[in-house]
Amino acid sequence: LAKTTQPISMDSYEGQEVNITCSHNNIATNDYITWYQQFPSQGPRFIIQGYKTKVTNEVASLFIPADRKSSTLSLPRVSLSDTAVYYCLVGAGSGNTGKLIFGQGTTLQVKP
Amino acid sequence: DTAVSQTPKYLVTQMGNDKSIKCEQNLGHDTMYWYKQDSKKFLKIMFSYNNKELIINETVPNRFSPKSPDKAHLNLHINSLELGDSAVYFCASSRGRAGGPSGTQYFGPGTRLLVL
């Protein structure tokens, strides 16, 4: 199973770039890496997904090294509203018997 | 319109009772999920349904049973509730297999279950 590991918490200040790394040593060939954001009292929300190298969208970038055993979510110029829990999800295998593994989440606190 | 909805939002009940949580998605997705989030914020998958077939079943007690009357609904029924069942339960849906290229999951707002 593709177990994932993330830092439990991080602090940052407004305007800084934040990088959150997730380790997934046992990622399978067919697995994609997906990051979600969760605010208090809400369900998780999709941020970004990638398979290899670099992916960028309007809110974040995702860096994946060649061995794909880790990934780094990059949030440029964070604001107070980016304070949330960030989860790394690795799809586990192909076919109907796969198991989904969420990381334990990283609580990001953005300070003014 | 809400993409993934759950009812009820809050559920307070006594130990030993049987309860159900309903979930509906209007996205036309083929796969739906149930997750449990405990007080430490760990998000654990419980069940997944694809075209009315169970495709993921984690090691959850058999007191928990998912029921899918159609592709747009996946309800969660819990028998003989226990104190340890207190948590937030999230329903989600995706077009394809979660973890794959078309597997972006859309989550509902959650149901906060408290067992007394």
Side-chain angles (χ1 to χ4, degrees):
Chain A
L1 300 177
K3 180 180 178 180
T4 62
T5 304
Q6 305 173 227
I8 294 177
S9 63
M10 295 181 71
D11 289 340
S12 182
Y13 290 94
E14 282 190 292
Q16 289 186 334
E17 177 184 78
V18 171
N19 296 308
I20 305 174
T21 297
C22 178
S23 297
H24 29 79
N25 292 324
N26 296 326
I27 188 169
T29 303
N30 296 331
D31 291 343
Y32 279 67
I33 300 155
T34 312
W35 284 81
Y36 289 84
Q37 176 191 54
Q38 186 179 26
F39 296 113
S41 302
Q42 295 185 23
R45 183 178 70 172
F46 171 85
I47 301 175
I48 196 166
Q49 183 185 66
Y51 183 80
K52 62 181 179 180
T53 62
K54 176 184 175 181
V55 179
T56 297
N57 61 21
E58 62 275 10
V59 298
S61 294
L62 180 60
F63 299 91
I64 305 169
D67 65 7
R68 301 198 333 118
K69 294 185 176 182
S70 66
S71 58
T72 299
L73 172 71
S74 181
L75 304 173
R77 298 178 298 282
V78 295
S79 63
L80 295 177
S81 63
D82 292 318
T83 294
V85 180
Y86 293 83
Y87 290 96
C88 162
L89 172 65
V90 176
S94 60
N96 293 335
T97 56
K99 296 181 186 296
L100 299 173
I101 308 293
F102 267 90
Q104 73 270 30
T106 298
T107 298
L108 173 65
Q109 180 69 50
V110 179
K111 303 175 182 178
Chain B
D1 287 341
T2 303
V4 181
S5 59
Q6 297 178 226
T7 54
K9 189 172 182 179
Y10 299 96
L11 183 54
V12 181
T13 188
Q14 300 287 330
M15 274 197 310
N17 285 350
D18 302 338
K19 291 293 179 183
S20 292
I21 306 173
K22 296 184 177 181
C23 177
E24 177 181 3
Q25 55 96 2
N26 62 7
L27 299 168
H29 286 167
D30 290 323
T31 307
M32 295 183 70
Y33 312 82
W34 276 106
Y35 287 87
K36 178 180 180 181
Q37 186 169 48
D38 60 24
S39 58
K40 295 182 179 181
K41 302 299 183 184
F42 283 96
L43 197 57
K44 299 179 181 178
I45 190 166
M46 301 177 70
F47 300 105
S48 174
Y49 255 73
N50 178 277
N51 291 326
K52 300 177 68 174
E53 291 186 43
L54 181 66
I55 61 172
I56 298 176
N57 187 347
E58 291 297 311
T59 54
V60 297
N62 57 14
R63 299 181 294 105
F64 291 79
S65 56
K67 298 191 186 302
S68 181
D70 54 59
K71 195 173 78 168
H73 296 83
L74 182 64
N75 303 324
L76 182 64
H77 189 76
I78 314 169
N79 289 325
S80 303
L81 278 156
E82 300 177 357
L83 294 177
D85 297 332
S86 296
V88 182
Y89 292 84
F90 287 101
C91 176
S93 72
S94 64
R95 182 165 59 88
R97 177 179 64 85
S102 60
T104 297
Q105 296 179 74
Y106 294 81
F107 285 80
T111 295
R112 286 141 189 85
L113 171 65
L114 177 61
V115 183
L116 302 175

